[in-house]
Amino acid sequence: MEPQHLRDLYDRQLRLGARPDGPGSRVERAGPVVRATGPAHSWNGVLWSGLAPDSPDAETDAVIAAQIGHYRAAGVPFEWKLYGHDRPARLGARLLAAGFTAEDPETLMAAEAAALPGDVPLPEGVTLRAVTDEAGVRQVAEVHERAFGTDSSALGRQLLDRLAADPETVTAVVALAGGEPVSAARMELYPGTDFAGLWGGGTVEGWRGRGLYRALVAHRARVAAERGHRYVQVDAADTSRPILARLGFSALTTTTPYTYDPR
């Protein structure tokens, strides 16, 4: 499938057709936007905006203000997930003018799950373990904190919630070296769609450059294909984009998180 057609399919299924990502979360259409609202530890934000390409600034600003008001009432910070092909072209500038902060842009990439390498060799002494319980979630959070230097308490709670309430929609894997977690990643499965999303792939310093990231991509792609998902997608940072391109992923568009805390 051509990248633009695959991007359009992604928009229809995962943005316009988005579903709640955990207990207590809801997805709703509010005028020209689709937004997710839930507990503070879940993902809160705007997934889709259907503003017209020629939408005047005043109209755009009113839609933005309505979302700020919504999340202020909910008492949670949120993200406006802006894609490179979203319109109007000045939407990013209007978000900044409204007080949002732009995070680092990423590249939306996708590949056919069954076409990706099925078995990437692991370094000697390293094994993969599926995450199914609280102990495994703690290992995922530990890797995330060591790899990215950020607090992972919300991630851990969200993953536990999903595993308990709807385990068919999420899976996670951790790489162990001598019993120590050194790399981990998760995958969100979107029932009824062609897609599964690869998230949170991280490796602790000292184990990078040894093929663990590629191995975890291959492992999750295999699981996605087994569960009937044709494509896997990634919001790729600059560090992972070349690796994914070599594996067979194609770039579809860019995506930039614009964050806002209305509390």
Side-chain angles (χ1 to χ4, degrees):
M1 186 176 288
E2 291 296 320
Q4 182 173 340
H5 296 301
L6 187 54
R7 187 193 73 193
D8 292 344
L9 181 66
Y10 174 90
D11 280 349
R12 289 196 305 273
Q13 293 189 351
L14 297 192
R15 301 181 68 199
L16 278 166
R19 302 176 185 184
D21 67 353
S25 296
R26 69 182 188 277
V27 173
E28 59 190 348
R29 183 74 180 258
V33 307
V34 175
R35 66 191 181 202
T37 311
H41 65 274
S42 64
W43 188 87
N44 288 280
V46 174
L47 293 147
W48 163 268
S49 56
L51 289 159
D54 58 352
S55 174
D57 286 351
E59 180 181 333
T60 302
D61 292 347
V63 172
I64 293 170
Q67 307 320 307
I68 293 173
H70 168 77
Y71 288 103
R72 178 176 288 119
V76 293
F78 73 105
E79 175 184 315
W80 191 303
K81 196 167 173 62
L82 183 67
Y83 289 79
H85 58 290
D86 287 348
R87 294 294 178 265
R90 284 176 48 77
L91 181 52
R94 301 319 302 162
L95 290 168
L96 292 175
F100 284 74
T101 299
E103 307 294 340
D104 292 337
E106 297 175 316
T107 302
L108 175 64
M109 306 184 77
E112 287 205 40
L116 293 173
D119 187 19
V120 175
L122 292 165
E124 185 176 354
V126 175
T127 58
L128 298 185
R129 187 174 81 85
V131 173
T132 58
D133 55 19
E134 188 172 353
V137 171
R138 284 198 301 269
Q139 290 179 324
V140 171
E142 178 187 335
V143 169
H144 193 275
E145 290 182 351
R146 292 173 61 193
F148 301 113
T150 56
D151 177 58
S152 297
S153 55
L155 166 65
R157 185 174 175 187
Q158 184 180 18
L159 183 53
L160 273 176
D161 283 352
R162 292 281 292 276
L163 287 171
D166 204 356
E168 294 304 310
T169 66
V170 66
T171 184
V173 60
V174 62
L176 301 169
E180 176 190 0
V182 295
S183 187
R186 69 188 192 281
M187 177 168 65
E188 296 188 2
L189 303 154
Y190 309 110
T193 78
D194 293 294
F195 293 91
L198 309 185
W199 300 94
T203 302
V204 303
E205 192 173 356
W207 284 90
R208 295 168 185 164
R210 301 174 68 175
L212 287 175
Y213 181 83
R214 290 183 290 112
L216 294 187
V217 169
H219 171 85
R220 289 175 290 168
R222 185 168 61 251
V223 172
E226 290 170 353
R227 297 196 185 183
H229 296 278
R230 183 176 179 184
Y231 301 107
V232 286
Q233 56 86 198
V234 187
D235 288 352
D238 288 344
T239 51
S240 54
R241 178 175 175 173
I243 301 171
L244 293 165
R246 288 195 294 271
L247 287 173
F249 282 75
S250 297
L252 306 184
T253 186
T254 60
T255 176
T256 303
Y258 284 78
T259 57
Y260 192 99
D261 192 340
R263 296 173 296 181

